[in-house]
Amino acid sequence: MFLRQMIRKKDGKEHRYFSVVENKRVAGGRVVQRHVLYLGEINDTQELAWRKSIEVFDEGVAQPRMLSLFPEDRCEGLLPDASIVRLTLSQMRLCRPRQWGACWLALTLWRELHLDRFWAKRLPASRKGTRWDQVLFVLAAYRLLDPGSEWRLHREWFERTALPDLLGADFGLAEIHKLYACHDRLLAHKEDLFDHLVGRWRDLFNISFDVLLYDLTSTYFEADPPFPENDKRRHGYSRDHRPDCVQIVIALVVTPEGLPLAYEVMPGNTRDSSTLRGFLARIERQYGKAQRIWLMDRGIPTEEVLAEMRASDPPVQYVVGTPKGRLTRLEQELLVKPWQQARPGVEVKLLPQDGELYVFAQSRDRVAKERAMRRRQLKWLWKRLAKLAAMTLTREELLMKLGAARSRAPTAWRLVGIKVPNARNWAKGCTTFGYWLKRDKLRQARRREGRYLLRTNLTENDPAQLWSYYLQLVAVEAAFKNLKGDLGIRPIFHHNEARVEAHIFIAFLAYCLHVTLGRRLHALAPGLTPRSLIEKLSAIQIIDVHVPTTDGRELVLTRYTEPEPDQRLLLSHLRLELPAQPPPKITAELPRSPALL
């Protein structure tokens, strides 16, 4: 290891920057330098007292040698006072490398949303000095950066990060009982948080709330009933394909940009169609009556709720998908309607009925995509059935393999008819099964591929606009994907129902940080995800440089490593500036021993 100096001129002034680098030998006998640590700029007031050496090559000497920062034989006479500190560079130590860049990014986002101010008012410090607002930030940052259990956060993760340095705190923030106790203080402030976020989304991104997306998901538990009476963990329809596990249902409202406005945790056996009425009332109660457009998937609204939305004052506007049964009922009426060009590649048929407008939309891109998916499944299933017909199997083995094929190709399975001999005929030697293509089903599937029937009370709107509204439902699906993927909302290790809901609350906070970062990145490149940026900045480490002095003290320089070119490029585009390096510290001078006087 050695120190390297870089001089830059900026605004007519010379700046000197120092880094810790090391030599690494590579193929061919070459030596390359690897940057280890960025020490930063030395201020003018300490220029003479903090002169550092760089690697120098003496004439006639093949190998470089290190000059100490303050060589003992050259230090005398530099300054007339006692401000000179002599360092023993041969004993320099680099200690406690820890992750800094992503933690700093999380704190920057937290402050950008003014969550530090919001929670400082609502989670005051305890009489023992516990900063509950900082404990909450640690939990939210953990969920954003590297989600896991609270026990893992306490046992190892907190110590491997620079959160104590950034918050000016210590390990007390990660005491296990404080992490759990923080959960108990959060739910009372949920409504206030929703109001606060609406204001911040409007200020940061100039977002309007005319269009709202509503959808539900579920998350399951690896736990066994029974639970206390009225507990929300119950068996129900599982979107995670785990009907064997109890679950809860999460309802979420977001803007088309994916910015969350509100959520609710419901019992696991809640029917989708029973949730909308309560959520409409909640949004109206919290944000007042307004001309809002609600986008929902089929299965969420009931006929009664849609009638109430149309009859309210002002009417609540909606665009909703329809079940396939309604398309079958209206198919004959739609056949006689002409196609209209809504936009390039999208055609629509319009059917006014009972104060509503049915929009039958056809997208050429969606037709090609869904048709390719159906063909791929059908081709695989047909080959698989041919292989099974050639195998020598028992009837039970055949049924099991057919079940596996059905689970792999569910769309194609509906287009194929299969007949397996009953147990009596199988025992008599009839061991062949028949399969055939259901051509009527195939023709129906071809007619419906890439085509959607939408239902709305926006009867005067442009059909192309209605189609674009419906496509925005992917935003709420992306929110659920991020909650279950990047933010690791499950597994949930809590057993107390209130703490389970607080766990969802913390995941919601982490998603707010996640989506704020996503909005910043969206203008740069659609494929640049928040996770990729977090991984990039996670490579920026912070390290403690310990340099002993000749008088028995020790100089400690806490420095984050210099960002790589790609990291600097991202920070520049995002208009983020790294903070100044922490000031150096020096231990108190040790008292001299009487024997040495």
Side-chain angles (χ1 to χ4, degrees):
M1 295 279 185
F2 58 94
L3 299 173
R4 183 173 63 193
Q5 175 181 274
M6 181 177 66
I7 299 177
R8 294 178 57 188
K9 289 187 177 180
K10 183 179 179 182
D11 299 329
K13 183 180 178 182
E14 185 179 275
H15 298 261
R16 294 177 297 168
Y17 301 88
F18 292 84
S19 298
V20 177
V21 297
E22 68 175 354
N23 284 335
K24 293 185 73 70
R25 189 169 298 277
V26 297
R30 295 186 304 112
V31 175
V32 297
Q33 294 180 356
R34 185 181 75 87
H35 183 274
V36 176
L37 171 68
Y38 178 61
L39 297 179
E41 183 181 7
I42 304 211
N43 63 49
D44 296 335
T45 59
Q46 297 177 329
E47 182 174 352
L48 289 178
W50 293 101
R51 300 185 61 178
K52 300 187 177 182
S53 66
I54 60 172
E55 179 185 10
V56 295
F57 288 85
D58 291 341
E59 294 185 6
V61 180
Q63 296 295 327
R65 64 185 179 89
M66 283 295 300
L67 297 179
S68 61
L69 294 178
F70 294 94
E72 296 181 29
D73 58 345
R74 303 181 190 177
C75 191
E76 302 296 338
L78 284 179
L79 290 175
D81 53 37
S83 61
I84 291 178
V85 177
R86 303 185 183 187
L87 306 180
T88 309
L89 287 184
S90 60
Q91 299 179 24
M92 182 180 71
R93 295 178 292 115
L94 304 178
C95 305
R96 293 186 62 226
R98 50 207 184 273
Q99 196 280 112
W100 182 86
C103 294
W104 169 79
L105 177 65
L107 183 58
T108 300
L109 296 171
W110 186 264
R111 290 171 175 169
E112 185 175 41
L113 291 179
H114 293 176
L115 291 174
D116 54 335
R117 308 177 192 176
F118 177 85
W119 289 112
K121 296 176 182 177
R122 290 163 177 81
L123 296 179
S126 68
R127 289 181 297 176
K128 295 183 178 180
T130 300
R131 289 286 305 274
W132 294 112
D133 57 330
Q134 291 188 350
V135 175
L136 175 58
F137 168 71
V138 170
L139 287 166
Y142 178 53
R143 184 62 42 191
L144 174 69
L145 304 180
D146 190 15
S149 67
E150 282 75 9
W151 177 244
R152 173 173 169 264
L153 187 160
H154 160 78
R155 190 180 68 248
E156 57 179 74
W157 185 81
F158 186 79
E159 289 280 81
R160 292 190 281 106
T161 70
L163 289 178
D165 306 85
L166 292 167
L167 298 175
D170 54 24
F171 184 74
L173 294 180
E175 291 182 45
I176 190 63
H177 71 278
K178 291 181 181 178
L179 297 178
Y180 289 128
C182 185
H183 286 66
D184 302 330
R185 292 167 162 79
L186 303 180
L187 296 180
H189 308 291
K190 189 164 70 169
E191 302 296 332
D192 291 342
L193 176 67
F194 297 158
D195 292 336
H196 173 79
L197 289 174
V198 168
R200 289 308 294 156
W201 301 142
R202 186 182 289 112
D203 295 342
L204 289 173
F205 306 116
N206 194 26
I207 296 298
S208 64
F209 304 99
D210 300 331
V211 179
L212 300 180
L213 285 60
Y214 177 70
D215 204 354
L216 302 99
T217 191
S218 59
T219 185
Y220 63 92
F221 298 79
E222 295 87 346
D224 296 323
F227 296 108
E229 188 177 358
N230 298 324
D231 195 286
K232 293 183 178 180
R233 289 167 289 183
R234 300 179 186 178
H235 289 283
Y237 170 68
S238 175
R239 295 160 180 84
D240 301 306
H241 308 291
R242 289 299 304 269
D244 57 313
C245 297
V246 293
Q247 64 178 19
I248 54 175
V249 171
I250 303 173
L252 180 66
V253 174
V254 302
T255 68
E257 296 80 13
L259 301 172
L261 299 185
Y263 80 94
E264 189 58 62
V265 178
M266 304 176 183
N269 60 352
T270 303
R271 292 183 296 112
D272 292 0
S273 59
S274 66
T275 64
L276 181 58
R277 181 181 284 111
F279 234 101
L280 290 172
R282 154 178 261 192
I283 294 298
E284 183 177 304
R285 182 174 61 254
Q286 189 162 3
Y287 304 116
K289 290 187 176 183
Q291 291 283 351
R292 300 186 183 94
I293 302 173
W294 286 79
L295 308 182
M296 297 163 285
D297 213 342
R298 62 177 185 235
I300 291 180
T302 62
E303 291 295 331
E304 293 78 11
V305 174
L306 291 178
E308 292 173 8
M309 295 172 74
R310 292 192 297 269
S312 64
D313 185 23
V316 180
Q317 298 168 328
Y318 57 84
V319 178
V320 60
T322 58
K324 293 182 179 179
R326 185 171 294 269
L327 176 57
T328 302
R329 182 162 60 86
L330 299 176
E331 195 166 20
Q332 294 303 318
E333 298 179 61
L334 290 168
L335 283 176
V336 299
K337 296 289 183 179
W339 287 107
Q340 302 179 28
Q341 187 79 17
R343 68 182 187 189
V346 177
E347 297 175 317
V348 298
K349 290 184 178 185
L350 305 179
L351 178 62
Q353 192 175 90
D354 299 329
E356 293 181 303
L357 179 66
Y358 288 92
V359 181
F360 188 48
Q362 170 182 278
S363 169
R364 294 176 188 172
D365 292 338
R366 293 296 302 180
V367 168
K369 179 179 179 180
E370 293 183 15
R371 190 159 291 173
M373 293 168 59
R374 186 258 305 161
R375 285 174 175 170
R376 188 162 50 248
Q377 278 198 22
L378 188 57
K379 184 178 180 180
W380 177 87
L381 180 60
W382 202 259
K383 281 187 176 180
R384 182 59 177 166
L385 292 175
K387 290 181 180 178
L388 293 179
M391 293 181 184
T392 303
L393 301 169
T394 65
R395 187 172 184 274
E396 289 73 16
E397 290 173 338
L398 175 62
L399 292 175
M400 291 179 63
K401 291 184 181 296
L402 287 175
R406 178 181 180 177
S407 63
R408 177 167 175 177
T411 301
W413 184 268
R414 293 191 288 269
L415 307 178
V416 176
I418 296 177
K419 184 176 182 180
V420 178
N422 58 35
R424 180 179 298 178
N425 291 336
W426 192 281
K428 293 179 180 180
C430 181
T431 58
T432 58
F433 71 97
Y435 59 94
W436 62 94
L437 188 63
K438 296 180 180 178
R439 299 189 181 276
D440 56 336
K441 292 285 188 181
L442 178 60
R443 284 192 292 268
Q444 185 185 65
R446 285 179 58 85
R447 287 197 306 267
R448 295 182 177 180
E449 285 169 342
R451 298 173 178 177
Y452 301 88
L453 182 62
L454 310 181
R455 183 181 182 183
T456 179
N457 59 348
L458 295 168
T459 56
E460 299 179 0
N461 281 54
D462 180 10
Q465 183 66 38
L466 297 175
W467 171 252
S468 65
Y469 279 157
Y470 188 69
L471 292 182
Q472 290 171 353
L473 276 175
V474 298
V476 70
E477 294 172 0
F480 290 141
K481 181 179 179 181
N482 288 324
L483 283 170
K484 293 185 177 183
D486 284 352
L487 305 180
I489 198 172
R490 62 159 309 275
I492 301 175
F493 298 94
H494 300 281
H495 299 284
N496 180 281
E497 182 184 333
R499 289 186 177 176
V500 168
E501 293 200 39
H503 173 89
I504 306 296
F505 184 86
I506 293 170
F508 177 81
L509 282 172
Y511 177 68
C512 292
L513 303 180
H514 186 278
V515 75
T516 301
L517 182 57
R519 291 305 301 168
R520 280 177 165 268
L521 293 172
H522 183 73
L524 302 180
L528 192 56
T529 64
R531 180 55 52 190
S532 64
L533 179 62
I534 289 172
E535 291 175 353
K536 279 286 186 184
L537 296 188
S538 294
I540 302 179
Q541 301 281 305
I542 196 170
I543 197 169
D544 295 336
V545 182
H546 293 254
V547 186
T549 66
T550 56
D551 58 2
R553 293 183 292 173
E554 191 170 58
L555 175 69
V556 180
L557 293 167
T558 300
R559 291 292 185 268
Y560 57 78
T561 55
E562 184 177 3
E564 297 295 329
D566 56 341
Q567 297 164 345
R568 291 200 302 269
L569 180 64
L570 286 171
L571 292 172
S572 174
H573 277 293
L574 291 169
R575 298 180 182 178
L576 294 174
E577 294 185 5
L578 297 180
Q581 296 280 10
K585 301 176 183 178
I586 191 167
T587 59
E589 187 170 359
L590 297 176
R592 294 188 179 184
S593 171
L596 299 178
L597 297 177

